[in-house]
Amino acid sequence: MAFELPALPFANDALEPYTSARTLEFHHGKHHAAYVTNLNNLVKDTPLASLSLEDVIKAAAADLPAKQGIFNNAAQVWNHTFFWNCLKKDGGQPSAKLLARIDAELGGLAKFKEDFKAAAIGQFGSGWAWLVEENGKLKIVKTANADLPLVHGQKALFTVDVWEHAYYLDYQNRRPDFVQTVLDHLVNWAFVESNLG
Ligand SMILES: [Fe+2]
């Protein structure tokens, strides 16, 4: 069965004014969709076509650079689906339990935002900033292009897409403003917590 583009978990205009409907029309409807189409074309009539998306990613990662194209597209399908679920307008605050871990392991919510933003800004070129759990500890990391925590022994809890297509229509070159806005207004904290091991 072919891989499919999942519907957004919200309406295209649900994140306005922080992310416009137009951005989501392109980001989900064109960019995310294209990764799905590319992936299906690349794995068609191969053993990978019957695997789960996660298993395609792992198999491709184990066979680089031969399977770089498959890895890139499969990972980008996964990354975007995960990213949409990370977003919710006025998505609340971390629960007391999660906040206690952020306090103990990341120096508090303000420090988390500061360090996450620094990682997102510090990613040269296209990529992703992540909150992950590694060996039972919270950690902020960044990845280039399509790379993702799954292939680094980490569990993804939250991400922000810092490819230019994620913010250029609304923020032009101002990646720091985009990331700050996501952190202040669009984090789906219940989803973040649901990813904890
Ligand atoms: Fe993207």
Side-chain angles (χ1 to χ4, degrees):
M1 210 179 91
F3 295 100
E4 290 182 1
L5 176 69
L8 281 176
F10 37 70
N12 273 345
D13 62 359
L15 305 182
E16 291 194 346
Y18 308 120
T19 288
S20 67
R22 186 167 161 77
T23 285
L24 288 177
E25 281 162 20
F26 277 88
H27 198 176
H28 174 259
K30 304 292 185 191
H31 292 278
H32 193 179
Y35 295 126
V36 174
T37 302
N38 293 342
L39 175 61
N40 282 323
N41 288 336
L42 287 166
V43 300
K44 194 169 186 289
D45 301 325
T46 78
L48 294 178
S50 60
L51 299 182
S52 69
L53 184 60
E54 287 81 0
D55 284 344
V56 171
I57 292 168
K58 288 178 192 166
D63 190 15
L64 295 176
K67 292 197 167 57
Q68 188 72 57
I70 292 172
F71 175 80
N72 288 345
N73 285 283
Q76 284 292 79
V77 171
W78 193 96
N79 291 344
H80 282 89
T81 301
F82 185 78
F83 179 47
W84 307 136
N85 283 296
C86 286
L87 303 178
K88 186 178 182 184
K89 185 171 162 180
D90 304 319
Q93 294 294 321
S95 69
K97 181 182 154 204
L98 177 54
L99 194 55
R101 288 198 58 184
I102 291 172
D103 285 345
E105 297 168 39
L106 298 174
L109 191 57
K111 183 77 163 60
F112 158 70
K113 287 186 182 183
E114 190 182 310
D115 290 347
F116 190 95
K117 187 178 174 186
I121 296 168
Q123 172 51 42
F124 184 78
S126 296
W128 301 78
W130 306 84
L131 173 64
V132 303
E133 197 175 33
E134 184 177 49
N135 299 323
K137 281 271 287 177
L138 300 181
K139 188 176 174 184
I140 294 164
V141 298
K142 59 186 195 283
T143 60
N145 300 316
D147 196 15
L148 72 173
L150 179 68
V151 296
H152 298 290
Q154 300 160 339
K155 178 82 165 61
L157 307 178
F158 171 73
T159 194
V160 176
D161 186 343
V162 296
W163 285 58
E164 281 190 345
H165 67 224
Y167 57 88
Y168 212 85
L169 291 174
D170 297 328
Y171 297 84
Q172 292 75 52
N173 60 318
R174 292 176 287 114
R175 185 192 290 187
D177 291 354
F178 166 66
V179 176
Q180 187 69 52
T181 301
V182 173
L183 292 171
D184 288 342
H185 298 285
L186 295 177
V187 182
N188 184 345
W189 283 107
F191 178 72
V192 175
E193 184 156 7
S194 76
N195 293 315
L196 282 170

Short mmCIF file of all heavy atoms in Angstrom, two decimals, residues 86-118:
data_model
loop_
_atom_site.label_atom_id
_atom_site.label_comp_id
_atom_site.label_asym_id
_atom_site.label_seq_id
_atom_site.Cartn_x
_atom_site.Cartn_y
_atom_site.Cartn_z
N CYS A 86 2.77 18.67 16.65
CA CYS A 86 3.40 19.47 17.71
C CYS A 86 2.76 20.84 17.85
O CYS A 86 3.03 21.56 18.83
CB CYS A 86 4.89 19.69 17.40
SG CYS A 86 5.92 18.24 17.66
N LEU A 87 1.94 21.24 16.88
CA LEU A 87 1.41 22.60 16.84
C LEU A 87 -0.05 22.66 17.28
O LEU A 87 -0.87 21.83 16.89
CB LEU A 87 1.52 23.17 15.42
CG LEU A 87 2.92 23.21 14.81
CD1 LEU A 87 2.85 23.75 13.39
CD2 LEU A 87 3.87 24.03 15.66
N LYS A 88 -0.35 23.65 18.08
CA LYS A 88 -1.73 23.95 18.45
C LYS A 88 -1.77 25.40 18.90
O LYS A 88 -0.95 25.82 19.73
CB LYS A 88 -2.17 23.03 19.60
CG LYS A 88 -3.63 23.19 19.95
CD LYS A 88 -4.03 22.23 21.06
CE LYS A 88 -5.50 22.38 21.34
NZ LYS A 88 -5.92 21.53 22.47
N LYS A 89 -2.70 26.15 18.35
CA LYS A 89 -2.78 27.56 18.73
C LYS A 89 -3.15 27.67 20.20
O LYS A 89 -4.11 27.04 20.64
CB LYS A 89 -3.82 28.28 17.87
CG LYS A 89 -3.88 29.78 18.12
CD LYS A 89 -4.78 30.42 17.09
CE LYS A 89 -5.23 31.79 17.52
NZ LYS A 89 -6.10 32.40 16.51
N ASP A 90 -2.37 28.47 20.92
CA ASP A 90 -2.55 28.61 22.37
C ASP A 90 -2.66 27.22 23.01
O ASP A 90 -3.63 26.90 23.69
CB ASP A 90 -3.79 29.47 22.68
CG ASP A 90 -3.69 30.84 22.00
OD1 ASP A 90 -2.58 31.41 22.01
OD2 ASP A 90 -4.69 31.32 21.45
N GLY A 91 -1.62 26.44 22.74
CA GLY A 91 -1.61 25.02 23.13
C GLY A 91 -1.34 24.75 24.59
O GLY A 91 -0.92 23.65 24.95
N GLY A 92 -1.59 25.73 25.44
CA GLY A 92 -1.50 25.52 26.88
C GLY A 92 -0.09 25.60 27.42
O GLY A 92 0.79 26.20 26.81
N GLN A 93 0.09 24.99 28.56
CA GLN A 93 1.39 25.00 29.26
C GLN A 93 1.76 23.56 29.56
O GLN A 93 0.90 22.69 29.57
CB GLN A 93 1.25 25.79 30.57
CG GLN A 93 0.96 27.27 30.38
CD GLN A 93 2.13 28.01 29.72
OE1 GLN A 93 3.29 27.73 30.02
NE2 GLN A 93 1.83 28.93 28.82
N PRO A 94 3.05 23.33 29.82
CA PRO A 94 3.42 21.97 30.22
C PRO A 94 2.71 21.59 31.53
O PRO A 94 2.50 22.47 32.38
CB PRO A 94 4.94 22.06 30.46
CG PRO A 94 5.38 23.37 29.89
CD PRO A 94 4.18 24.26 29.81
N SER A 95 2.37 20.33 31.66
CA SER A 95 1.78 19.86 32.92
C SER A 95 2.81 20.01 34.04
O SER A 95 4.01 20.16 33.77
CB SER A 95 1.38 18.40 32.79
OG SER A 95 2.56 17.61 32.71
N ALA A 96 2.36 19.92 35.27
CA ALA A 96 3.28 20.02 36.41
C ALA A 96 4.38 18.96 36.32
O ALA A 96 5.55 19.22 36.61
CB ALA A 96 2.50 19.88 37.71
N LYS A 97 4.00 17.78 35.85
CA LYS A 97 4.96 16.67 35.76
C LYS A 97 6.05 16.98 34.73
O LYS A 97 7.24 16.81 34.98
CB LYS A 97 4.19 15.40 35.38
CG LYS A 97 5.02 14.15 35.27
CD LYS A 97 4.14 12.97 34.82
CE LYS A 97 4.97 11.92 34.12
NZ LYS A 97 4.18 11.08 33.22
N LEU A 98 5.61 17.45 33.56
CA LEU A 98 6.58 17.76 32.51
C LEU A 98 7.41 18.98 32.90
O LEU A 98 8.63 19.02 32.67
CB LEU A 98 5.86 18.00 31.18
CG LEU A 98 6.72 18.40 29.98
CD1 LEU A 98 7.85 17.40 29.74
CD2 LEU A 98 5.86 18.53 28.73
N LEU A 99 6.75 19.96 33.49
CA LEU A 99 7.47 21.17 33.91
C LEU A 99 8.56 20.83 34.94
O LEU A 99 9.65 21.40 34.90
CB LEU A 99 6.47 22.18 34.49
CG LEU A 99 6.99 23.61 34.66
CD1 LEU A 99 7.52 24.17 33.34
CD2 LEU A 99 5.87 24.51 35.18
N ALA A 100 8.27 19.90 35.80
CA ALA A 100 9.27 19.49 36.80
C ALA A 100 10.50 18.91 36.11
O ALA A 100 11.64 19.15 36.52
CB ALA A 100 8.67 18.47 37.77
N ARG A 101 10.27 18.16 35.04
CA ARG A 101 11.41 17.59 34.30
C ARG A 101 12.16 18.68 33.55
O ARG A 101 13.39 18.66 33.46
CB ARG A 101 10.93 16.50 33.34
CG ARG A 101 10.51 15.23 34.06
CD ARG A 101 10.45 14.05 33.13
NE ARG A 101 11.71 13.80 32.46
CZ ARG A 101 11.89 12.86 31.53
NH1 ARG A 101 10.87 12.09 31.18
NH2 ARG A 101 13.06 12.68 30.96
N ILE A 102 11.41 19.63 32.96
CA ILE A 102 12.07 20.73 32.25
C ILE A 102 12.90 21.56 33.23
O ILE A 102 14.03 21.96 32.93
CB ILE A 102 11.02 21.60 31.52
CG1 ILE A 102 10.38 20.81 30.36
CG2 ILE A 102 11.63 22.90 31.01
CD1 ILE A 102 9.20 21.50 29.69
N ASP A 103 12.36 21.77 34.42
CA ASP A 103 13.10 22.51 35.46
C ASP A 103 14.38 21.76 35.83
O ASP A 103 15.46 22.35 35.89
CB ASP A 103 12.24 22.68 36.72
CG ASP A 103 11.15 23.73 36.53
OD1 ASP A 103 11.24 24.51 35.56
OD2 ASP A 103 10.21 23.76 37.35
N ALA A 104 14.25 20.46 36.07
CA ALA A 104 15.38 19.68 36.57
C ALA A 104 16.43 19.41 35.49
O ALA A 104 17.63 19.40 35.76
CB ALA A 104 14.87 18.37 37.16
N GLU A 105 15.96 19.18 34.25
CA GLU A 105 16.89 18.70 33.22
C GLU A 105 17.30 19.76 32.21
O GLU A 105 18.32 19.62 31.53
CB GLU A 105 16.25 17.50 32.50
CG GLU A 105 16.00 16.32 33.44
CD GLU A 105 15.12 15.24 32.82
OE1 GLU A 105 15.27 14.96 31.62
OE2 GLU A 105 14.27 14.69 33.55
N LEU A 106 16.49 20.83 32.08
CA LEU A 106 16.80 21.85 31.08
C LEU A 106 16.90 23.25 31.67
O LEU A 106 17.01 24.22 30.93
CB LEU A 106 15.74 21.83 29.96
CG LEU A 106 15.62 20.54 29.15
CD1 LEU A 106 14.43 20.63 28.19
CD2 LEU A 106 16.89 20.26 28.37
N GLY A 107 16.83 23.35 33.00
CA GLY A 107 17.02 24.64 33.63
C GLY A 107 15.80 25.54 33.64
O GLY A 107 15.92 26.76 33.85
N GLY A 108 14.62 24.96 33.37
CA GLY A 108 13.38 25.74 33.43
C GLY A 108 12.84 26.06 32.05
O GLY A 108 13.52 25.93 31.04
N LEU A 109 11.57 26.51 32.04
CA LEU A 109 10.89 26.75 30.77
C LEU A 109 11.53 27.90 29.98
O LEU A 109 11.68 27.81 28.75
CB LEU A 109 9.41 27.04 31.03
CG LEU A 109 8.48 27.05 29.83
CD1 LEU A 109 8.54 25.72 29.06
CD2 LEU A 109 7.04 27.33 30.28
N ALA A 110 11.90 28.96 30.68
CA ALA A 110 12.51 30.11 29.98
C ALA A 110 13.84 29.70 29.34
O ALA A 110 14.14 30.05 28.20
CB ALA A 110 12.71 31.27 30.95
N LYS A 111 14.62 28.92 30.07
CA LYS A 111 15.91 28.46 29.56
C LYS A 111 15.70 27.47 28.41
O LYS A 111 16.46 27.49 27.43
CB LYS A 111 16.70 27.79 30.71
CG LYS A 111 18.09 27.34 30.34
CD LYS A 111 19.06 28.51 30.28
CE LYS A 111 20.52 28.10 30.33
NZ LYS A 111 20.95 27.24 29.26
N PHE A 112 14.68 26.64 28.53
CA PHE A 112 14.36 25.72 27.42
C PHE A 112 14.09 26.51 26.15
O PHE A 112 14.64 26.21 25.09
CB PHE A 112 13.15 24.84 27.76
CG PHE A 112 12.45 24.29 26.54
CD1 PHE A 112 13.06 23.31 25.75
CD2 PHE A 112 11.21 24.78 26.14
CE1 PHE A 112 12.44 22.83 24.60
CE2 PHE A 112 10.58 24.31 25.00
CZ PHE A 112 11.20 23.34 24.21
N LYS A 113 13.23 27.54 26.26
CA LYS A 113 12.89 28.33 25.07
C LYS A 113 14.13 29.01 24.49
O LYS A 113 14.34 29.04 23.28
CB LYS A 113 11.83 29.38 25.42
CG LYS A 113 10.45 28.82 25.65
CD LYS A 113 9.44 29.95 25.84
CE LYS A 113 8.05 29.43 26.12
NZ LYS A 113 7.06 30.53 26.23
N GLU A 114 14.94 29.56 25.37
CA GLU A 114 16.17 30.25 24.94
C GLU A 114 17.11 29.28 24.22
O GLU A 114 17.62 29.57 23.13
CB GLU A 114 16.85 30.79 26.22
CG GLU A 114 17.99 31.73 26.03
CD GLU A 114 18.57 32.11 27.39
OE1 GLU A 114 17.79 32.50 28.28
OE2 GLU A 114 19.79 31.99 27.56
N ASP A 115 17.31 28.11 24.80
CA ASP A 115 18.25 27.15 24.21
C ASP A 115 17.68 26.51 22.94
O ASP A 115 18.42 26.23 21.99
CB ASP A 115 18.60 26.06 25.23
CG ASP A 115 19.46 26.60 26.38
OD1 ASP A 115 19.98 27.73 26.25
OD2 ASP A 115 19.59 25.90 27.39
N PHE A 116 16.37 26.29 22.95
CA PHE A 116 15.74 25.71 21.75
C PHE A 116 15.84 26.70 20.59
O PHE A 116 16.17 26.33 19.46
CB PHE A 116 14.28 25.35 22.03
CG PHE A 116 13.63 24.53 20.94
CD1 PHE A 116 13.59 23.15 21.02
CD2 PHE A 116 13.09 25.15 19.81
CE1 PHE A 116 13.01 22.40 20.00
CE2 PHE A 116 12.52 24.40 18.80
CZ PHE A 116 12.47 23.03 18.89
N LYS A 117 15.56 27.95 20.90
CA LYS A 117 15.65 28.99 19.87
C LYS A 117 17.07 29.10 19.33
O LYS A 117 17.29 29.21 18.12
CB LYS A 117 15.19 30.33 20.45
CG LYS A 117 15.07 31.45 19.44
CD LYS A 117 14.58 32.73 20.12
CE LYS A 117 14.59 33.90 19.16
NZ LYS A 117 14.25 35.16 19.85
N ALA A 118 18.05 29.03 20.23
CA ALA A 118 19.45 29.10 19.80
C ALA A 118 19.80 27.93 18.87
O ALA A 118 20.50 28.10 17.87
CB ALA A 118 20.37 29.11 21.02
#
